[in-house]
Amino acid sequence: MRRRLILLGPPGSGKGTIAARLQQEFGIHHISSGHLLRREVEEGSTVGQRARLFLEKGELVPDGTVLTFMRGWMKSAPLESGFMLDGFPRTLNQGKALDVWLAERGAPVEAVILYACDLKIILDRITGRWSCPKCGRVYHVYSVPPKVAGICDDCRIELTQRADDREPVVRRRFGIYARQTKPLAKYYEHQGKLTVVDAALSPDERFAKTVAALN
Ligand code: ADP
């Protein structure tokens, strides 16, 4: 099985869900740059202070900051049991830097899965997504609604929406993805590593196609 992976796709294409399952079933380590950056913002670290406004506006954190930050994480990425990168690289420049880091360790990326998805599906998925500020449980107005609208089933407090999950911001994130991140698909296609999976399929189908691509 190929175990050094990149998951590509627009925001809301379901990369995180697939990654969680791959980690659980095959022990491949999930590295989400968005999650790591949001944690820095919450902690108010230097990186977090530099990144905060970009995250809130749904814009890319500049390469200088992201590259230094992710290089640190990649130093400890497990090469044998494997890792999957979700949200990084997001620009051609980041992709090239990653290739250099991994070449230094003689362990190149083995497969890249692109979850292709159009804007309409993404808007439905993301703008309906709400979570509990206390326990982190994620709900969806259509697919996973709470028992009482807007209230966490467990904590009984009001659900909140990620600042960058509001519709205008989602549209902007999608545009940025199309311009800056999509060119990476060609880059990996030329390397013979790319598989495209339709992100509109059910979670089980997406997972099965992903596993098939890794074997
Ligand atoms: P999504 O994939 O749903 O857009 P992420 O959780 O991957 O969300 O990322 C959230 C935000 O974190 C991005 O909008 C961006 O501001 C920042 N970010 C994450 N990864 C990167 C990256 N590789 N380069 C630049 N900014 C990033």
Side-chain angles (χ1 to χ4, degrees):
M1 180 181 223
R2 294 186 280 175
R3 288 177 166 271
R4 292 192 294 275
L5 321 174
I6 294 173
L7 308 183
L8 280 183
S13 56
K15 292 168 297 201
T17 315
I18 298 286
R21 240 174 115 176
L22 286 172
Q23 171 155 304
Q24 201 179 12
E25 293 198 21
F26 302 109
I28 303 175
H29 184 60
H30 180 196
I31 303 174
S32 158
S33 54
H35 174 79
L36 293 172
L37 285 168
R38 274 192 295 277
R39 207 165 66 186
E40 296 292 320
V41 171
E42 276 158 29
E43 287 169 2
S45 69
T46 312
V47 170
Q49 287 174 26
R50 282 198 199 125
R52 187 174 61 84
L53 283 177
F54 296 98
L55 266 91
E56 281 172 6
K57 288 190 285 182
E59 286 168 15
L60 295 190
V61 177
D63 276 351
T65 303
V66 169
L67 286 174
T68 313
F69 180 62
M70 290 308 292
R71 167 133 223 197
W73 280 98
M74 289 311 295
K75 281 192 180 138
S76 56
L79 301 180
E80 290 307 315
S81 54
F83 58 83
M84 63 212 135
L85 289 166
D86 159 11
F88 179 86
R90 241 186 173 87
T91 62
L92 209 45
N93 196 25
Q94 292 178 10
K96 288 178 180 168
L98 175 68
D99 276 357
V100 172
W101 304 340
L102 291 174
E104 282 167 3
R105 298 175 72 189
V109 165
E110 296 174 297
V112 179
I113 316 287
L114 167 66
Y115 298 93
C117 200
D118 63 27
L119 178 60
K120 192 188 166 311
I121 293 178
I122 284 165
L123 283 174
D124 286 350
R125 276 196 194 154
I126 300 194
T127 57
R129 187 162 76 181
W130 291 77
S131 60
C132 174
K134 190 161 166 223
C135 70
R137 186 162 163 189
V138 179
Y139 297 88
H140 192 281
V141 282
Y142 305 124
S143 51
V144 200
K147 289 186 188 123
V148 180
I151 305 290
C152 178
D153 293 352
D154 303 322
C155 309
R156 310 256 173 243
I157 58 173
E158 259 183 64
L159 301 176
T160 55
Q161 192 172 35
R162 243 170 75 180
D164 61 350
D165 276 354
R166 303 198 170 110
E167 178 163 342
V169 185
V170 174
R171 286 182 183 274
R172 185 176 329 135
R173 281 158 67 203
F174 188 83
I176 291 170
Y177 166 80
R179 280 192 305 279
Q180 311 240 59
T181 308
K182 233 176 146 196
L184 275 169
K186 274 264 168 308
Y187 178 71
Y188 292 116
E189 192 179 11
H190 284 138
Q191 295 186 4
K193 294 176 180 169
L194 186 75
T195 302
V196 181
V197 171
D198 181 357
L201 296 172
S202 72
D204 283 345
E205 287 171 310
R206 276 184 273 144
F207 184 70
K209 288 201 188 278
T210 303
V211 173
L214 304 184
N215 284 317

